[in-house]
Amino acid sequence: MTNFSATRALFDVPEGVAYLDGNSLGPLVRSVPDRVARAVREEWGTQLIRAWNDAGWMAMPDRLGDRIAPLIGAAAGTLTTGDTLSIKLHQALSAALTLTERRVILSDTGNFPSDLYIADAVARQAGGRLTSVEPEAVADALSEEVGVLMLTEVDYRTGRLHDMAALTARAKALGVVTVWDLAHSAGALPVNITGAGADFAVGCSYKYLNGGPGAPAFIYAAPAVAGRIDPAIPGWLGHAAPFAFEHSYRPARDVARFRVGTPPVLQMAALDAAMDVWDVADLSDVRARSLELSERLIDGVEAACTDLVLASPRAGKDRGSQVSFRHPEAYPIMQALIARGVVGDVRAPDILRFGVTPLYLGEAEIDACIATLAEVMDRRLWDDPAYRRRQAVT
């Protein structure tokens, strides 16, 4: 059983803050500063270029991939890390289209806009198109016309959870290649990408994996397809022999061919330290505790704040590790909350979003959120003009 008091001690959350925004950016893991400092002072500072080998920098993308793999139900050697989620998604979609003659990418209207931008561009560049339907209509929209199904498992606004196994099975039966975005899944709930039979998956590591701002993304490719892909971005570190400096490209083995450029070593050092949390935390325990805390939040807010409408699915099995409510004044309400030490975020036009991450949250933070939100609503504290000034990041 996971000792959540012990995991909480691994995080450096400011005193007096109820941090319910780990689904945007995970908090600092206490061991990260020393690990990054060691990479700077001892590895870069003293080993200089020898650190690529002596400190294991060159192997970091694949080694970190192997650390993330168990959290999404993948085997060692099927994940690699590096670059941004946008780049990894572009790689996955481009690779998926090489596995089919069909030129239609299917997604849903609740997907993250950046995912849709990339899917639209990749489809058009291949002479095809992107089709988006309502999340509930995805299964019925699958057909033999569709080449690639691209979905984010957990809706970034509402937390709605797609049935990965069922949709992947339906897609495979129709000859559709599957790409899953696990940005709001990895580290939040158990995922079985292998069991589902998905072809590709991508995700970021700065949310529930707590790798910090700019932390590298990951990409998974099923062994059955990984070795057949000629990557759309044939970077030198995805070459079979990068230091042979050959003029023509020979892809590396399997998923390693999705490596592109020089690894972001300092960001990877931070993620490496943050991943130590998963040496003492069991993801099934995290999921069970997340559902308990989410139910507590929903019940409390609905009892105390009748003007807020639940935007997330009511059944825990149908949502990820977040709870969202709707209100036309969502933005100033959230700013009033943040000013009082309860940190969530907003998604336009009317979503108040709260990440429920039991690695560092408990009943006290959930109750503080409920009480503070009730005060803000009862006293209309969000009417203060200062809370209506839009900032670049909320």
Side-chain angles (χ1 to χ4, degrees), residues 16-20 297 301 305 308 323 325 327 329-346 351-354 365-378 380-384 386-388 394:
V17 172
Y19 190 66
L20 285 88
L297 178 60
V301 170
C305 308
L308 299 181
V323 174
F325 298 92
H327 192 281
E329 299 291 351
Y331 183 84
I333 290 170
M334 184 56 70
Q335 303 317 302
L337 279 175
I338 292 171
R340 288 159 178 79
V342 175
V343 181
D345 65 12
V346 174
I351 294 283
L352 293 130
R353 191 177 74 159
F354 301 96
E365 287 77 20
I366 298 299
D367 292 346
C369 178
I370 296 166
T372 307
L373 187 52
E375 179 188 16
V376 168
M377 299 305 295
D378 289 347
R380 292 181 63 94
L381 298 175
W382 45 268
D383 270 338
D384 188 329
Y387 299 141
R388 296 182 179 277
T394 59

Side-chain angles (χ1 to χ4, degrees), residues 164-305:
M164 178 189 291
L167 287 172
T168 300
R170 181 168 174 79
K172 288 175 74 71
L174 293 166
V176 177
V177 184
T178 51
V179 177
W180 287 91
D181 183 339
L182 305 179
H184 289 270
S185 306
L189 66 156
V191 178
N192 188 355
I193 204 78
T194 302
D199 298 299
F200 300 96
V202 296
C204 60
S205 62
Y206 52 80
K207 298 181 188 290
Y208 296 101
L209 300 183
N210 310 295
F218 63 83
I219 185 169
Y220 160 87
V225 302
R228 297 159 50 193
I229 301 302
D230 186 8
I233 309 176
W236 79 296
L237 285 185
H239 194 283
F243 291 97
F245 302 110
E246 298 172 3
H247 287 180
S248 59
Y249 180 74
R250 285 190 297 120
R253 58 171 178 81
D254 301 331
V255 77
R257 65 188 56 190
F258 288 99
R259 292 176 60 165
V260 181
T262 303
V265 171
L266 300 184
Q267 292 169 327
M268 287 187 167
L271 175 59
D272 195 28
M275 288 298 297
D276 289 347
V277 171
W278 297 103
D279 293 338
V280 297
D282 180 86
L283 191 51
S284 295
D285 294 339
V286 170
R287 175 61 169 168
R289 182 64 170 150
S290 169
L291 291 175
E292 291 175 6
L293 294 175
S294 296
E295 291 297 327
R296 188 183 187 97
L297 178 60
I298 291 171
D299 291 345
V301 170
E302 289 192 326
C305 308

Side-chain angles (χ1 to χ4, degrees), residues 79-144:
L79 261 77
T80 193
T81 58
D83 314 302
T84 66
L85 178 52
S86 294
I87 290 174
K88 291 306 178 199
L89 179 60
H90 188 286
Q91 286 184 292
L93 287 170
S94 298
L97 282 176
T98 68
L99 299 175
T100 177
E101 296 297 320
R102 308 172 193 171
R103 302 292 89 180
V104 175
I105 298 176
L106 174 66
S107 190
D108 73 71
T109 55
N111 213 334
F112 193 65
S114 182
D115 286 25
L116 297 177
Y117 303 158
I118 293 165
D120 180 60
V122 170
R124 285 187 290 104
Q125 289 160 8
R129 72 179 190 277
L130 167 69
T131 297
S132 297
V133 299
E134 291 297 314
E136 298 80 5
V138 169
D140 290 339
L142 282 166
S143 71
E144 293 182 349

Side-chain angles (χ1 to χ4, degrees), residues 10 24 58 64 76 101 112 114 141 148 208 218 256 261 274 307 316 318 320 341:
L10 300 176
S24 286
M58 191 61 69
L64 282 172
E101 296 297 320
F112 193 65
S114 182
V148 177
Y208 296 101
F218 63 83
D307 288 344
D318 296 329

